Amino acid sequence: MDRVDRYCGVALVQQYQVVQHAPDAIEVRLVVKRMLGTNQQAVLARIIRDALGHPFRLSLHYFADAIPPCSGRQIRGVHPYMRLSHLLPLFGVALVAACASFPSPDERRQQASILAQRQHWQALQLQTGIFRVQAYAPSARSEELTIYLEGDGFAWLNSRQSSADPTPLDPIALRLALAQPSGNAAYLGRPCQYLDADREPCQKRYWTDARFAEEVVHSLDQAAEQLKVRAGAQRLVLIGYSGGGALALLLAARREDVARVITVAGNLDHAAWTRHHRVTPLQDSLNPADLRPALAMRQQVHLVGSLDRVIPPELAAAFVAGYPAGNHALVKVMEGYDHHCCWADNWAQLWRQNTQP
């Protein structure tokens, strides 16, 4: 793989395997070319943790010709986390190796189902436009319903190859929804996540360049309406994680019942995002940045991590700076957070702090 990171000119990780023994028991096995010092092991563990967003056990295996670890001075003053993290930003997976195996789509679906069942949420398959969409929700009814929109999921295997099924390795938006401490909430997966990835109308474009296409937004709009009716709600709060942040804004721009929008590490302007990362623009996707006039007066809070390299804080700040004066949008930078850590762990507190009008 072109972008495998190197210590002292030698690829650090030769291959790895992710083994899911159970929904809550993941082992990451690494084969490395050089003996790793304690600090280097800690760096690798942190990167994998941030990418998976899930507890795991790390196993290290060495080649027979392993030699002592490189000195930090030989890395030309660049902290190893910064170099290794170049593998992560665009695809949300720890691509630190040439070979990989991941939990199957069925195992990923089972993980989400188990998480929801633990809190007695029901699994719902909603027919919405051309797509079926997976949702989870309790049976509660309320005046206000908070809907959580999932991120882009497992969209890419590596920098050149999209995955065959975008079902998330770790459904962070679902974890957020289940951690909401009060009020009524529901969760929406994205089209082709959990359901029908290998059947029409699903195509890989719907989790790559067309991930925010009109038909995707229309489908989620209909899904939100079905959840609203089911809950007997009069108004919605939309919370979107990562790419789900863009969809929360796109939905808010076309609905009159959205009381507020909260994004978590949200991709708010995908044109600015692709320019920042120097990757191919999402030509077939709608962009919230083009709808600022319809969004300016919406109550919005955009939570971003100070350590997030996928969605750096400056991208969120630039998005809000493009609003006219008097807008109701706020950016909050969370110190020590990155794209995955530590949103779900601290969501109860964050929700209380950011859901008041």
Side-chain angles (χ1 to χ4, degrees), residues 31-289:
V31 177
V32 296
K33 281 194 172 183
R34 293 182 178 272
M35 299 288 288
L36 303 184
T38 301
N39 289 342
Q40 291 170 319
Q41 291 183 37
V43 167
L44 269 176
R46 178 182 177 186
I47 291 170
I48 297 168
R49 180 203 71 200
D50 291 348
L52 293 179
H54 197 291
F56 67 95
R57 181 167 64 87
L58 182 64
S59 303
L60 295 176
H61 306 271
Y62 301 95
F63 283 118
D65 60 348
I67 60 176
C70 301
S71 162
R73 288 186 295 274
Q74 292 175 284
I75 308 174
R76 298 183 181 178
V78 178
H79 192 281
Y81 174 74
M82 295 179 66
R83 296 173 68 85
L84 285 165
S85 67
H86 291 171
L87 300 171
L88 302 179
L90 303 184
F91 314 117
V93 179
L95 297 176
V96 291
C99 302
S101 83
F102 298 96
S104 70
D106 283 342
E107 289 169 330
R108 287 176 258 154
R109 284 189 284 270
Q110 181 186 23
Q111 176 189 210
S113 179
I114 290 173
L115 288 171
Q117 288 172 9
R118 284 175 180 166
Q119 292 188 211
H120 309 291
W121 283 31
Q122 298 173 8
L124 307 168
Q125 294 183 10
L126 307 178
Q127 186 62 50
T128 60
I130 63 173
F131 298 107
R132 285 194 308 158
V133 176
Q134 181 69 60
Y136 293 100
S139 57
R141 294 177 66 83
S142 59
E143 288 287 312
E144 182 173 278
L145 176 66
T146 302
I147 297 179
Y148 290 76
L149 296 155
E150 189 55 80
D152 295 340
F154 187 37
W156 294 89
L157 291 172
N158 55 50
S159 60
R160 294 182 178 141
Q161 183 180 1
S162 57
S163 74
D165 189 310
T167 301
L169 289 173
D170 185 43
I172 289 183
L174 177 58
R175 294 184 185 276
L176 297 177
L178 294 169
Q180 182 173 307
S182 62
N184 195 9
Y187 167 83
L188 273 179
R190 302 266 288 274
C192 308
Q193 293 178 355
Y194 305 104
L195 301 169
D196 303 330
D198 58 347
R199 296 167 49 186
E200 291 291 338
C202 285
Q203 305 170 29
K204 290 184 177 180
R205 62 188 296 265
Y206 287 124
W207 53 93
T208 55
D209 62 310
R211 68 189 74 176
F212 310 133
E214 168 59 33
E215 53 267 42
V216 170
V217 180
H218 176 70
S219 177
L220 292 173
D221 188 30
Q222 290 197 344
E225 187 64 25
Q226 291 182 39
L227 292 174
K228 177 186 172 185
V229 171
R230 180 179 182 273
Q234 299 301 310
R235 61 187 179 276
L236 300 177
V237 174
L238 300 179
I239 299 181
Y241 169 71
S242 191
L247 289 164
L249 289 170
L250 291 168
L251 290 177
R254 64 179 62 192
R255 298 185 65 97
E256 299 298 326
D257 56 358
V258 176
R260 72 185 67 89
V261 175
I262 300 174
T263 68
V264 178
N267 189 350
L268 312 179
D269 179 352
H270 64 70
W273 179 73
T274 55
R275 287 195 300 269
H276 174 82
H277 288 295
R278 299 181 181 179
V279 296
T280 304
L282 307 184
Q283 300 281 13
D284 295 332
S285 288
L286 302 176
N287 192 354

